Amino acid sequence: MASLVAILDVKGKSLIQRSYRDDVPPSYIERFLPLVLDMEEENVQVTPCFSNEGINYMHIRHNNLYLLALSKRNSNAAEIIFFLHRLCSVLTEYFKELEEESIRDNFVIIYELLDEMMDFGFPQTTESKILQEYITQESHKLEVQARPPMAVTNAVSWRSEGIRYRKNEVFLDVVESVNLLVNASGNVIRSEILGAVKMKCYLSGMPELRLGLNDKVMFESTGRAARGKSIEMEDVKFHQCVRLSRFENDRTISFIPPDGEFELMSYRLSTPVKPLVYAEASVESHRGSRVEYMVKVRGQFKRRSTANNVEIYVPVPDDADSPKFRTSVGSVVYAPEKSAFVWKIKQLGGGRDYLMRAHFGLPSVRNEELDKRAPITVKFEIPYFTVSGIQVRYLKIVEKSGYQSLPWVRYLCQNGDDYVLRTITDAKSSSMIAPL
Amino acid sequence: MAMAPPRKGENWELRQQLNSEYRDKRADAIKRVIANHTIGKDCSGLFPDVVKNMQTDDLEQKKLVYLYLMNYAKTQPELVILAVNTFVKDTADPNPLVRALAIRTMSVLRAEKILDYLASPLSRCLKDENPYVRKTAALCVAKVFDLKPELCVEYGFIETLRDLIGDGNPMVVANAVAALADIQEAAQALPPSPPPSPGRSSPPPSARPNSHLFAIDPPTLTKLLVALNECSEWGRIAILNTLARYKAQDQQESEHICERVMPQFQHVNAAVVLGAVKVIMIHMKNVTRDDLLKSLTRKMAPPLVTLISSPPEVQWVALRNINLLLQKRPEILANEMRVFFCKYNDPPYVKVEKLDIMVRLASEKNVDTLLGELKEYASEVDVDFVRKAVRAVGQVAIKIDEAAERCVSVLMDLIETRVSYVVQEAVIVIKDIFRKYPHSYEGIIPTLCANLDELDEPEAKASLIWIIGEYAEKIENADELLGTFLETFKEESYPVQLQTLTAIVKLFLKKPDESQAIVQRVLQAATKDCDSADVRDRAYIYWRLLSSDPAAAKSVVLSVRPPISLPQITVAPAILEELLGEISSLASVYHKPAATFIGKGRLGAEEMQRRVLEPEEEVSREKALQTVVAGNQAENLLDFDADDEPTSASISGIGADGNSLSDGRISSAAISNAAKSTNPLDELMDLFSTASMSATTAQPVAPASTVAGVPGLQPNNDPFASLSGLSSPPSAMGSGGVSPTPPQQQHQQQKQAVGGAQDDLLGLF
């Protein structure tokens, strides 16, 4: 429960605010940033929720904005923080970018949204697709009056009735992101697969869908011998359209999908994964003059597959200058804003490895600060491949009008946002890297 | 208003436009008014002109006018009446969106006059055929209750709300539940008079008199469980909160609730997941079936782990809650330590929390990976985080005996980096390791002493001096080393002075022949040149001890101390139980009971009176807290001010009258004192400023003898550490989060035993 929600700019000035209960005066908004600055000054950790003089401040950051909720009670912090994130994503869907300018330009519609998304401090509707049906950018004309879509209060609150398509199609994307952490000696110390099944639904009416995966738990419970490989998903999260109790009972994934694009489910596996794209670098640093890198990359997957758009970020000192690169494949650019250079390879075949060398100048005045020791990060995409071996066995679509529809399935494996290799080693013996 | 406004300027212009004959111009003007309001300009002067535009078919314009009214109704109470007609008309509009909008807005205009007109539209809307209107109206009842509780009673709105729990539409059910819970909370804050409404259903025996506003009986429970599976994510949260309040009749019912709530673990909304965890943690207490218990704990782990890949702020809320959960049920995530490894770009508040959880999950099995990880963190750039990582190494050493040696070797590696703050932190940590494993790792002492010159922080210095004093007989040049500190004695901070003093006395007792001169010098310096009363007093005590009875001095100063250990929980058990019942709320995020951070009125006399008159639902909780208070008082050896009657001591200064306590219960003030004792320093400061010294009865002195073995690795909960931090002198090492048993305190205990020097501690206050 929140008494007041506000969006603040980076200086802590309120851009727009909405008070839902009168128990917290809006003047407290202005106290937020000074409080944060005070805490920073006193070396106190600034946390997303804190309390001061009986007022609880809960905030998140988005670009250069603070989204802030105030409350006087022992509110549900998880609910409010999550709501603020939802608010963020709804506003982003409305205005493409959520930033100072788009807020100033659209204050009318933001007021409308704030009014609809929360009432008396309780979150109400945060599905942006449904909101867009009755809160639109153009004002309503006399003749066609907006009415609350059935969906707002329906048991099926995510889909409106009467949707029509000439061609009924469903696109399923199974995307797996690999997060892993490799330590300096090249061993994987943590790895996980975060999978997501994304759907694009262009179906008429109120279709009932059932999705079948090669889920080990289901195979076991039905006593059916699995043909081929089955996988054990550790934690599954569903879009609110999926009937959770049904899944709990017999592992059937059944649902009435929202229209258009959405994420049906996500899952997690912590089966050990070897780094699909492995990179290591050795550094030879001559303080005060130059630093040299030799980077090796290897595609550790089947020869048949290729990794696309591989990008390897190798950190360099903040004050490095005059870069020189040499490589046999791809291109290398220096990204000083990230304190790194990026080696881009359009296509990296399975089982292949490549080398690149880099050379930077260092200022003769030694930087007093310590090296940050940032790790190497890698981005890649491997199409038609999943690490876990997940497979869509079937997607059944039943609608009372009985139309035919086509499901399309695609698989993709990519890096997660935490694909990190701490494999930068100092080459003490200078012979390791030959001069450029 | 009365003054004729000038005929120029923006407001005048706007007024012209608001009264224009063209629709477009008027709509535009309203937008500009709202824009002006948004950037903080006062637009109250335009009230009558804006209200004129209320009757319109343009929904957007209507919304804007309503928004204007919401913001300015308070400033123009006598003009609000102008709007009433339109409002009442709109609540009967054919468009449900308009009906809902009208009733929603009308109920938040804080004007007495409007409220009288609200009653009949509201009762109509509560029975509207459209669920969107009904769900909006349900919350309106809570709004009206907030403004004028009598009205709700007069028109029986609360009964209607209860009926709505049986509504066919899950969203309506959810909002009705949310509204009832809100009313319940508001009613508790009211003076005790409010209306006992004629209860429709007979409340269950467990319900307390004032909780009948929203009593949950078994039929309601069934309805809630049905609605839970069907309603939107936010509705689920409201229902889960209510389920958490329900007192199950028997074990079977608890099991049933757990089974029905469990599927919510799969929900994508983190707040739903945490809400489900809360319900299950509460109802799990009554479950005894082994297989169910097992499956509950097993199923709880994966969703919690998945929360760690949410956005950082959500992650943090989850981590704080996980930290609490682990204090109660450490087995839940026993195999999942790896997911808490810090990412390079995690925000600092997440990293710190993860670190804490990792130490909690450390076991013999995973300690090697953990140490490797901690060592990695110690080479990062964020100084604060690096220090915490080093500290974590020490905590692991104290927690797991088998790993101590590996921890020490990691620390030695870290000292070799010669990065100043790493070395200092490592020294502090090693001191703790010596306190847990005396005489085990003496081999590293020379390396430590070699870094003597690098230490510039008081805590690190004090730690090293303590080590030297403790092992003076093994260190050949101990007198020399301590001599260097003695030279700068006057410039050092008090904790270092105290340590120097004690260490040299230890040295003297161990090697009397060589150190006669140095002990003389330190006693001189401490008694003559030092302006801290504590240092001086301690010096005098040593002096007298040494001169009168060296044998007694030896038994006092050199006695064997019990080893320290790592506590499993950071808050008192009773409070932990309370917090676990509030998972996902702010209280569980702060790790403080709600009473300590909300409304100052909570501790007022009025509040206490209310509590006495109508005891809260949570009698058990109070009882638990009472026990804590009583326990604290019993263990409070050093309190001289407390009379024999414990309660009177604890309320004085809070300003309550003794009558309210006539029933013999420990006052809620005392309880909140007890609660406060677990809070960080600032809370204590508050307490000191408001309450007289006697108020400290509730949170004193890490009860000397018993706690001697418990290190306060978490500064937050260790009353002694915070106490001493407050009036810094006595505990050199206690302040920074290490242990309530730095040597000095033991001396103090021993001195007590000998029968002297209690005034030393008194000087504290």
Side-chain angles (χ1 to χ4, degrees), chain B residues 179-191:
Chain B
L180 279 169
D182 197 83
I183 289 172
Q184 169 92 9
E185 206 179 330
Q188 275 171 8
L190 282 176

mmCIF file with all atom_site columns, all heavy atoms in Angstrom, chain B residues 179-191:
data_model
loop_
_atom_site.group_PDB
_atom_site.id
_atom_site.type_symbol
_atom_site.label_atom_id
_atom_site.label_alt_id
_atom_site.label_comp_id
_atom_site.label_asym_id
_atom_site.label_entity_id
_atom_site.label_seq_id
_atom_site.pdbx_PDB_ins_code
_atom_site.Cartn_x
_atom_site.Cartn_y
_atom_site.Cartn_z
_atom_site.occupancy
_atom_site.B_iso_or_equiv
_atom_site.pdbx_formal_charge
_atom_site.auth_seq_id
_atom_site.auth_comp_id
_atom_site.auth_asym_id
_atom_site.auth_atom_id
_atom_site.pdbx_PDB_model_num
ATOM 1  N N   . ALA B 1 179 ? -10.058 -3.778 1.069  1.00 0.00 ? 179 ALA B N   1
ATOM 2  C CA  . ALA B 1 179 ? -10.734 -2.692 1.769  1.00 0.00 ? 179 ALA B CA  1
ATOM 3  C C   . ALA B 1 179 ? -10.998 -3.079 3.215  1.00 0.00 ? 179 ALA B C   1
ATOM 4  O O   . ALA B 1 179 ? -10.746 -2.293 4.131  1.00 0.00 ? 179 ALA B O   1
ATOM 5  C CB  . ALA B 1 179 ? -12.041 -2.354 1.064  1.00 0.00 ? 179 ALA B CB  1
ATOM 6  N N   . LEU B 1 180 ? -11.468 -4.297 3.426  1.00 0.00 ? 180 LEU B N   1
ATOM 7  C CA  . LEU B 1 180 ? -11.758 -4.726 4.793  1.00 0.00 ? 180 LEU B CA  1
ATOM 8  C C   . LEU B 1 180 ? -10.497 -4.731 5.646  1.00 0.00 ? 180 LEU B C   1
ATOM 9  O O   . LEU B 1 180 ? -10.512 -4.284 6.789  1.00 0.00 ? 180 LEU B O   1
ATOM 10 C CB  . LEU B 1 180 ? -12.383 -6.118 4.769  1.00 0.00 ? 180 LEU B CB  1
ATOM 11 C CG  . LEU B 1 180 ? -13.881 -6.151 4.454  1.00 0.00 ? 180 LEU B CG  1
ATOM 12 C CD1 . LEU B 1 180 ? -14.343 -7.570 4.202  1.00 0.00 ? 180 LEU B CD1 1
ATOM 13 C CD2 . LEU B 1 180 ? -14.681 -5.534 5.594  1.00 0.00 ? 180 LEU B CD2 1
ATOM 14 N N   . ALA B 1 181 ? -9.412  -5.223 5.068  1.00 0.00 ? 181 ALA B N   1
ATOM 15 C CA  . ALA B 1 181 ? -8.160  -5.259 5.823  1.00 0.00 ? 181 ALA B CA  1
ATOM 16 C C   . ALA B 1 181 ? -7.730  -3.835 6.174  1.00 0.00 ? 181 ALA B C   1
ATOM 17 O O   . ALA B 1 181 ? -7.245  -3.570 7.279  1.00 0.00 ? 181 ALA B O   1
ATOM 18 C CB  . ALA B 1 181 ? -7.078  -5.950 5.014  1.00 0.00 ? 181 ALA B CB  1
ATOM 19 N N   . ASP B 1 182 ? -7.917  -2.934 5.235  1.00 0.00 ? 182 ASP B N   1
ATOM 20 C CA  . ASP B 1 182 ? -7.534  -1.555 5.474  1.00 0.00 ? 182 ASP B CA  1
ATOM 21 C C   . ASP B 1 182 ? -8.390  -0.945 6.583  1.00 0.00 ? 182 ASP B C   1
ATOM 22 O O   . ASP B 1 182 ? -7.891  -0.255 7.469  1.00 0.00 ? 182 ASP B O   1
ATOM 23 C CB  . ASP B 1 182 ? -7.730  -0.771 4.173  1.00 0.00 ? 182 ASP B CB  1
ATOM 24 C CG  . ASP B 1 182 ? -6.989  0.540  4.206  1.00 0.00 ? 182 ASP B CG  1
ATOM 25 O OD1 . ASP B 1 182 ? -5.784  0.507  3.917  1.00 0.00 ? 182 ASP B OD1 1
ATOM 26 O OD2 . ASP B 1 182 ? -7.601  1.554  4.563  1.00 0.00 ? 182 ASP B OD2 1
ATOM 27 N N   . ILE B 1 183 ? -9.688  -1.228 6.524  1.00 0.00 ? 183 ILE B N   1
ATOM 28 C CA  . ILE B 1 183 ? -10.597 -0.697 7.545  1.00 0.00 ? 183 ILE B CA  1
ATOM 29 C C   . ILE B 1 183 ? -10.212 -1.249 8.906  1.00 0.00 ? 183 ILE B C   1
ATOM 30 O O   . ILE B 1 183 ? -10.148 -0.529 9.896  1.00 0.00 ? 183 ILE B O   1
ATOM 31 C CB  . ILE B 1 183 ? -12.048 -1.073 7.195  1.00 0.00 ? 183 ILE B CB  1
ATOM 32 C CG1 . ILE B 1 183 ? -12.496 -0.254 5.990  1.00 0.00 ? 183 ILE B CG1 1
ATOM 33 C CG2 . ILE B 1 183 ? -12.961 -0.849 8.380  1.00 0.00 ? 183 ILE B CG2 1
ATOM 34 C CD1 . ILE B 1 183 ? -13.826 -0.652 5.430  1.00 0.00 ? 183 ILE B CD1 1
ATOM 35 N N   . GLN B 1 184 ? -9.899  -2.514 8.913  1.00 0.00 ? 184 GLN B N   1
ATOM 36 C CA  . GLN B 1 184 ? -9.491  -3.150 10.157 1.00 0.00 ? 184 GLN B CA  1
ATOM 37 C C   . GLN B 1 184 ? -8.292  -2.422 10.757 1.00 0.00 ? 184 GLN B C   1
ATOM 38 O O   . GLN B 1 184 ? -8.255  -2.121 11.939 1.00 0.00 ? 184 GLN B O   1
ATOM 39 C CB  . GLN B 1 184 ? -9.126  -4.604 9.867  1.00 0.00 ? 184 GLN B CB  1
ATOM 40 C CG  . GLN B 1 184 ? -8.455  -5.322 10.992 1.00 0.00 ? 184 GLN B CG  1
ATOM 41 C CD  . GLN B 1 184 ? -9.476  -6.023 11.847 1.00 0.00 ? 184 GLN B CD  1
ATOM 42 O OE1 . GLN B 1 184 ? -10.656 -6.093 11.489 1.00 0.00 ? 184 GLN B OE1 1
ATOM 43 N NE2 . GLN B 1 184 ? -9.052  -6.543 12.979 1.00 0.00 ? 184 GLN B NE2 1
ATOM 44 N N   . GLU B 1 185 ? -7.333  -2.135 9.908  1.00 0.00 ? 185 GLU B N   1
ATOM 45 C CA  . GLU B 1 185 ? -6.124  -1.477 10.400 1.00 0.00 ? 185 GLU B CA  1
ATOM 46 C C   . GLU B 1 185 ? -6.449  -0.070 10.883 1.00 0.00 ? 185 GLU B C   1
ATOM 47 O O   . GLU B 1 185 ? -5.964  0.374  11.911 1.00 0.00 ? 185 GLU B O   1
ATOM 48 C CB  . GLU B 1 185 ? -5.066  -1.448 9.291  1.00 0.00 ? 185 GLU B CB  1
ATOM 49 C CG  . GLU B 1 185 ? -3.666  -1.379 9.840  1.00 0.00 ? 185 GLU B CG  1
ATOM 50 C CD  . GLU B 1 185 ? -2.626  -1.377 8.723  1.00 0.00 ? 185 GLU B CD  1
ATOM 51 O OE1 . GLU B 1 185 ? -2.898  -1.961 7.661  1.00 0.00 ? 185 GLU B OE1 1
ATOM 52 O OE2 . GLU B 1 185 ? -1.564  -0.775 8.941  1.00 0.00 ? 185 GLU B OE2 1
ATOM 53 N N   . ALA B 1 186 ? -7.287  0.621  10.115 1.00 0.00 ? 186 ALA B N   1
ATOM 54 C CA  . ALA B 1 186 ? -7.652  1.977  10.497 1.00 0.00 ? 186 ALA B CA  1
ATOM 55 C C   . ALA B 1 186 ? -8.432  1.967  11.797 1.00 0.00 ? 186 ALA B C   1
ATOM 56 O O   . ALA B 1 186 ? -8.251  2.830  12.658 1.00 0.00 ? 186 ALA B O   1
ATOM 57 C CB  . ALA B 1 186 ? -8.463  2.626  9.388  1.00 0.00 ? 186 ALA B CB  1
ATOM 58 N N   . ALA B 1 187 ? -9.296  0.977  11.959 1.00 0.00 ? 187 ALA B N   1
ATOM 59 C CA  . ALA B 1 187 ? -10.126 0.925  13.156 1.00 0.00 ? 187 ALA B CA  1
ATOM 60 C C   . ALA B 1 187 ? -9.274  0.729  14.393 1.00 0.00 ? 187 ALA B C   1
ATOM 61 O O   . ALA B 1 187 ? -9.585  1.237  15.466 1.00 0.00 ? 187 ALA B O   1
ATOM 62 C CB  . ALA B 1 187 ? -11.136 -0.202 13.036 1.00 0.00 ? 187 ALA B CB  1
ATOM 63 N N   . GLN B 1 188 ? -8.181  0.012  14.227 1.00 0.00 ? 188 GLN B N   1
ATOM 64 C CA  . GLN B 1 188 ? -7.326  -0.218 15.388 1.00 0.00 ? 188 GLN B CA  1
ATOM 65 C C   . GLN B 1 188 ? -6.634  1.049  15.837 1.00 0.00 ? 188 GLN B C   1
ATOM 66 O O   . GLN B 1 188 ? -6.272  1.194  16.991 1.00 0.00 ? 188 GLN B O   1
ATOM 67 C CB  . GLN B 1 188 ? -6.289  -1.285 15.059 1.00 0.00 ? 188 GLN B CB  1
ATOM 68 C CG  . GLN B 1 188 ? -6.861  -2.650 15.295 1.00 0.00 ? 188 GLN B CG  1
ATOM 69 C CD  . GLN B 1 188 ? -5.960  -3.731 14.777 1.00 0.00 ? 188 GLN B CD  1
ATOM 70 O OE1 . GLN B 1 188 ? -4.833  -3.481 14.360 1.00 0.00 ? 188 GLN B OE1 1
ATOM 71 N NE2 . GLN B 1 188 ? -6.455  -4.936 14.789 1.00 0.00 ? 188 GLN B NE2 1
ATOM 72 N N   . ALA B 1 189 ? -6.471  1.970  14.900 1.00 0.00 ? 189 ALA B N   1
ATOM 73 C CA  . ALA B 1 189 ? -5.818  3.213  15.255 1.00 0.00 ? 189 ALA B CA  1
ATOM 74 C C   . ALA B 1 189 ? -6.814  4.197  15.853 1.00 0.00 ? 189 ALA B C   1
ATOM 75 O O   . ALA B 1 189 ? -6.438  5.233  16.368 1.00 0.00 ? 189 ALA B O   1
ATOM 76 C CB  . ALA B 1 189 ? -5.157  3.817  14.019 1.00 0.00 ? 189 ALA B CB  1
ATOM 77 N N   . LEU B 1 190 ? -8.098  3.882  15.762 1.00 0.00 ? 190 LEU B N   1
ATOM 78 C CA  . LEU B 1 190 ? -9.117  4.792  16.278 1.00 0.00 ? 190 LEU B CA  1
ATOM 79 C C   . LEU B 1 190 ? -9.240  4.656  17.782 1.00 0.00 ? 190 LEU B C   1
ATOM 80 O O   . LEU B 1 190 ? -8.867  3.645  18.349 1.00 0.00 ? 190 LEU B O   1
ATOM 81 C CB  . LEU B 1 190 ? -10.465 4.452  15.649 1.00 0.00 ? 190 LEU B CB  1
ATOM 82 C CG  . LEU B 1 190 ? -10.720 4.931  14.229 1.00 0.00 ? 190 LEU B CG  1
ATOM 83 C CD1 . LEU B 1 190 ? -12.057 4.406  13.780 1.00 0.00 ? 190 LEU B CD1 1
ATOM 84 C CD2 . LEU B 1 190 ? -10.686 6.437  14.170 1.00 0.00 ? 190 LEU B CD2 1
ATOM 85 N N   . PRO B 1 191 ? -9.812  5.654  18.420 1.00 0.00 ? 191 PRO B N   1
ATOM 86 C CA  . PRO B 1 191 ? -10.168 5.481  19.829 1.00 0.00 ? 191 PRO B CA  1
ATOM 87 C C   . PRO B 1 191 ? -11.177 4.348  19.943 1.00 0.00 ? 191 PRO B C   1
ATOM 88 O O   . PRO B 1 191 ? -11.916 4.070  19.000 1.00 0.00 ? 191 PRO B O   1
ATOM 89 C CB  . PRO B 1 191 ? -10.790 6.826  20.207 1.00 0.00 ? 191 PRO B CB  1
ATOM 90 C CG  . PRO B 1 191 ? -11.026 7.544  18.921 1.00 0.00 ? 191 PRO B CG  1
ATOM 91 C CD  . PRO B 1 191 ? -10.067 6.990  17.942 1.00 0.00 ? 191 PRO B CD  1
#
